[in-house]
Amino acid sequence: MTELSLNKKKPFMTARQVAIAAVFGGIAFAFEALGIKLPFLPGFSMNFGGLWLTLATLIAGPLAGIVVALMISIGGEVGLIGFPGYLVHVIVLALLYKSIFKIQKKPIQIVAFWAWNSVALFFQYWYWIFLYGFVFKVMSIPALIVYNFAGPPYIGFDLIYCLVPSILLLSAPQFLAPDWKWFPSRKDDRKIGQSI
């Protein structure tokens, strides 16, 4: 008797990834659309989009992070033109997160996470500097560089992006376990009758 095999395509994202992307994307969109921000300096406030973006990327991978980045951009003040800036952060952050999560010593893990998230934010900031300098012409590029990297915005956003994930890494690391893949397998090679 011949055995039938089923060659069925798997979904691009797991149900868990979709749920995490939907929850954090919805929260991020709501915060942006409602203008919920942290007043920081006169005329300057900080949004919480980076927190939701970071959590989604750590928990469910870059695909979920991309969905959240899209939702932040749709609800945000600059619109979809801000999406590439958030996208850069998602990709850079996801590159080393699995390796950082495997570090056994918690203090070293936290320092490595803050350092790598700061690198991701650094690359994201260059997009925003050129966007506000060339497109919106808010300030000159050199003035934006000094303001963003030497001033409080970089440190403030780094705190927003890192503080809650660091607390979770210390208190509930299983919540941030990176059980995602960069490129999920698209085929499900199971035999008929075999359970999932």
Side-chain angles (χ1 to χ4, degrees):
M1 180 183 265
T2 61
E3 198 172 304
L4 296 175
S5 67
L6 178 62
N7 194 1
K8 183 175 141 184
K9 287 187 178 183
K10 286 171 90 175
F12 200 65
M13 292 174 72
T14 65
R16 179 178 183 268
Q17 288 174 310
V18 170
I20 289 168
V23 168
F24 286 117
I27 293 169
F29 177 82
F31 269 60
E32 290 293 319
L34 296 173
I36 300 171
K37 298 179 184 206
L38 182 66
F40 195 64
L41 294 170
F44 177 74
S45 59
M46 297 179 149
N47 65 18
F48 291 96
L51 172 61
W52 316 123
L53 173 99
T54 301
L55 287 173
T57 303
L58 300 182
I59 298 167
L63 295 176
I66 290 168
V67 170
V68 174
L70 184 63
M71 296 308 292
I72 292 169
S73 300
I74 291 171
E77 293 174 353
V78 298
L80 286 176
I81 197 168
F83 176 70
Y86 294 115
L87 179 64
V88 167
H89 189 93
V90 167
I91 292 169
V92 172
L93 179 62
L95 281 173
L96 286 185
Y97 178 66
K98 284 187 172 196
S99 299
I100 291 168
F101 187 81
K102 291 177 186 174
I103 297 172
Q104 295 297 315
K105 295 182 179 179
K106 287 297 177 186
I108 295 171
Q109 183 188 50
I110 297 300
V111 168
F113 170 70
W114 276 70
W116 188 245
N117 205 21
S118 297
V119 168
L121 187 61
F122 176 80
F123 284 109
Q124 177 185 348
Y125 255 57
W126 284 105
Y127 177 80
W128 293 109
I129 287 169
F130 284 102
L131 179 68
Y132 281 97
F134 283 131
V135 178
F136 297 140
K137 302 196 184 293
V138 173
M139 290 185 207
S140 68
I141 298 293
L144 281 166
I145 290 170
V146 170
Y147 173 72
N148 283 294
F149 290 121
Y154 188 77
I155 295 166
F157 277 112
D158 206 21
L159 281 169
I160 289 174
Y161 279 55
C162 293
L163 190 60
V164 172
S166 294
I167 292 168
L168 289 172
L169 277 171
L170 288 170
S171 61
Q174 70 280 2
F175 183 69
L176 295 180
D179 59 356
W180 45 266
K181 295 178 182 174
W182 272 90
F183 302 104
S185 172
R186 295 292 290 158
K187 291 192 176 183
D188 187 5
D189 296 321
R190 289 181 284 137
K191 295 185 174 146
I192 292 180
Q194 184 179 5
S195 63
I196 296 177

